Amino acid sequence: MKRTPLYENHIVLNAKMVDFAGWEMPIQYESITNEVMSVRKNIGIFDVSHMGEILIEGDDTAKFVDYLLTNSFGSMKIGQVMYTTMCNEKGGIIDDLLTYRLGENRAMLVVNAANTQKDFNWIVEKSATFNVKVSDLSMDYGLIAVQGPTSEEFLRRFAPDVINLSYYTFASYTIFGKYCIISRTGYTGEDGFEIYCKWNDTPFIWEELLTRGENFSVKPAGLGARDVCRLEASYMLYGNDMDENTTPLEAGLSWVVKFEKDFIGKENLLKQKEEGLKKRIRGLEILDKKIARHGMEIFKNGEKVGVITSGTFSPTLGKSIALAMLDSQLKISDEVEVDIRGTRVKARIVKLPFYRGSVKIS
């Protein structure tokens, strides 16, 4: 099993370690609820070094990345970050990812850990007719996410210029004497930053963040808290809420599909748009204390109308919530029933997001 550069740090903190996509990762340190509330009220720091970083560079970078991804790389300025999907020819989502415009002819794609090798192989295959070089830098970089409403105030103590970073931008910094890239992005719904640093520098930076963050109540948070936070904020999780059988339109991600340019999967997505969706992701509020989980079936008037894609109990909202792939004819406020281990439990379709945090959009 693979280990991030922070493995020993997690062991010292008595983290509960689990297998996640072939990586030995911390799922929690104290309790998932406490770690979620730390992110919501103060600051939580996450080890996300298992994410993949793929570099694309060369004269055809802009042309190739625009062909590869559904969102518009060509419209980005250097220093910007973009959320996007990468689709196959059928319009199914191969992965959802962040794209960094490092230069006029340089792009970094940050992909899901479970998909890194699949994505790299796909990108290399599709690059054959373009003048670009594709490199997998995943084992070169460690990655630490700093998330919470006071994260800017905290980071300004040793990186004053982070105040100039607007949402979804990045810049180079030297913190604690180490070179790194800091972006203002995140996956929790809160204001926050992600710190890319050299693999071997990652433990030192992690320890400095925890030590200097004592007055800010900075706490380590694991994959469990990360999953609850992302679901509260209604962010999709690849492998649960979307996969190669789900299109960005069905996943509610039409805003990252730019039909005015050519890209892989465009023809089928355009056809789906014109014909109308048969299913789409919706939010559910479970009208009971039971928790709906991935794969549970959903019914209305005795007929199956969908399936749960993600579900949890939200400590922030004090209720059980879920994302579900539902018949597109169903509307907000409609009631359905979720089969939770043989018991039909009532649920209501609600508008997303479930929770809106401290993210500073502008």
Side-chain angles (χ1 to χ4, degrees):
M1 204 181 307
K2 297 178 184 176
R3 292 174 175 175
T4 75
L6 295 176
Y7 172 78
E8 296 296 337
N9 303 72
H10 301 319
I11 297 301
V12 169
L13 290 168
N14 293 317
K16 180 181 179 181
M17 306 297 286
V18 297
D19 178 359
F20 179 81
W23 291 82
E24 198 167 4
M25 298 295 293
I27 191 165
Q28 67 185 83
Y29 301 85
E30 298 178 17
S31 77
I32 291 175
T33 297
N34 287 348
E35 291 164 25
V36 168
M37 299 318 294
S38 182
V39 173
R40 295 290 180 230
K41 295 181 177 178
N42 300 301
I43 298 173
I45 61 171
F46 299 85
D47 177 12
V48 279
S49 302
H50 58 315
M51 302 284 284
E53 290 89 12
I54 297 172
L55 179 69
I56 300 172
E57 53 189 344
D59 292 343
D60 288 346
T61 294
K63 183 179 177 183
F64 173 57
V65 176
D66 262 333
Y67 171 68
L68 188 69
L69 307 176
T70 60
N71 210 339
S72 175
F73 180 79
S75 65
M76 294 175 70
K77 297 177 181 177
I78 296 170
Q80 284 188 319
V81 187
M82 176 181 76
Y83 177 74
T84 184
T85 52
M86 179 167 66
C87 291
N88 57 31
E89 284 83 356
K90 295 180 178 178
I93 301 173
I94 291 176
D95 205 355
D96 69 321
L97 54 107
L98 294 179
T99 304
Y100 287 65
R101 185 147 199 173
L102 302 177
E104 192 63 32
N105 293 313
R106 295 183 83 225
M108 181 173 73
L109 310 187
V110 181
V111 303
N112 283 294
N115 293 337
T116 300
Q117 190 62 53
K118 179 186 76 169
D119 290 358
F120 180 73
N121 294 342
W122 173 265
I123 294 167
V124 168
E125 177 190 334
K126 296 303 175 185
S127 71
T129 58
F130 294 85
N131 183 19
V132 294
K133 177 184 177 184
V134 183
S135 308
D136 184 356
L137 305 182
S138 303
M139 301 305 286
D140 293 349
Y141 289 108
L143 180 55
I144 300 170
V146 181
Q147 296 284 302
T150 58
S151 54
E152 180 190 281
E153 184 184 352
F154 171 53
L155 287 186
R156 284 175 62 189
R157 301 295 177 97
F158 42 85
D161 291 345
V162 296
I163 193 174
N164 298 322
L165 284 180
S166 55
Y167 193 46
Y168 269 64
T169 65
F170 69 93
S172 299
Y173 294 85
T174 298
I175 59 170
F176 316 133
K178 308 294 185 184
Y179 171 81
C180 60
I181 293 173
I182 300 180
S183 61
R184 195 166 198 151
T185 52
Y187 201 56
T188 63
E190 301 298 342
D191 188 22
F193 301 83
E194 293 189 325
I195 302 172
Y196 296 82
C197 50
K198 291 181 180 177
W199 189 267
N200 291 335
D201 290 340
T202 314
F204 175 74
I205 293 176
W206 173 269
E207 290 297 332
E208 288 293 312
L209 290 170
L210 284 177
T211 301
R212 300 184 187 221
E214 287 181 353
N215 292 336
F216 284 83
S217 298
V218 174
K219 300 287 185 183
L223 292 176
R226 185 172 165 83
D227 191 53
V228 172
C229 287
R230 72 92 189 164
L231 184 48
E232 289 180 340
S234 307
Y235 293 134
M236 307 292 155
L237 177 64
Y238 193 86
N240 275 38
D241 307 304
M242 55 185 157
D243 55 26
E244 295 192 27
N245 296 312
T246 308
T247 72
L249 307 184
E250 293 166 339
L253 298 173
S254 58
W255 60 279
V256 302
V257 180
K258 308 302 183 188
F259 285 110
E260 62 272 21
K261 70 182 184 81
D262 288 329
F263 60 87
I264 300 170
K266 176 181 176 178
E267 186 176 337
N268 278 330
L269 288 178
L270 198 56
K271 182 180 178 184
Q272 186 179 53
K273 181 184 178 185
E274 291 170 351
E275 292 179 349
L277 299 177
K278 295 180 179 177
K279 58 180 182 178
R280 60 176 297 181
I281 287 276
R282 292 284 199 182
L284 289 182
E285 178 183 335
I286 310 300
L287 305 178
D288 191 286
K289 292 183 178 179
K290 289 186 169 60
I291 299 174
R293 296 298 190 191
H294 176 80
M296 290 180 172
E297 296 181 330
I298 302 168
F299 298 85
K300 186 172 180 61
N301 299 326
E303 298 289 329
K304 182 180 175 182
V305 293
V307 63
I308 297 291
T309 56
S310 291
T312 191
F313 180 81
S314 164
T316 306
L317 303 172
K319 59 187 177 185
S320 184
I321 57 174
L323 293 173
M325 186 63 77
L326 289 172
D327 186 318
S328 62
Q329 298 301 312
L330 294 168
K331 307 296 183 187
I332 301 294
S333 298
D334 281 355
E335 286 196 1
V336 294
E337 291 181 322
V338 183
D339 190 326
I340 300 181
R341 299 180 183 87
T343 301
R344 299 281 175 94
V345 175
K346 289 186 177 180
R348 182 184 298 116
I349 301 174
V350 296
K351 189 176 180 181
L352 296 175
F354 297 112
Y355 169 81
R356 198 178 296 277
S358 60
V359 167
K360 298 178 180 177
I361 301 298
S362 59

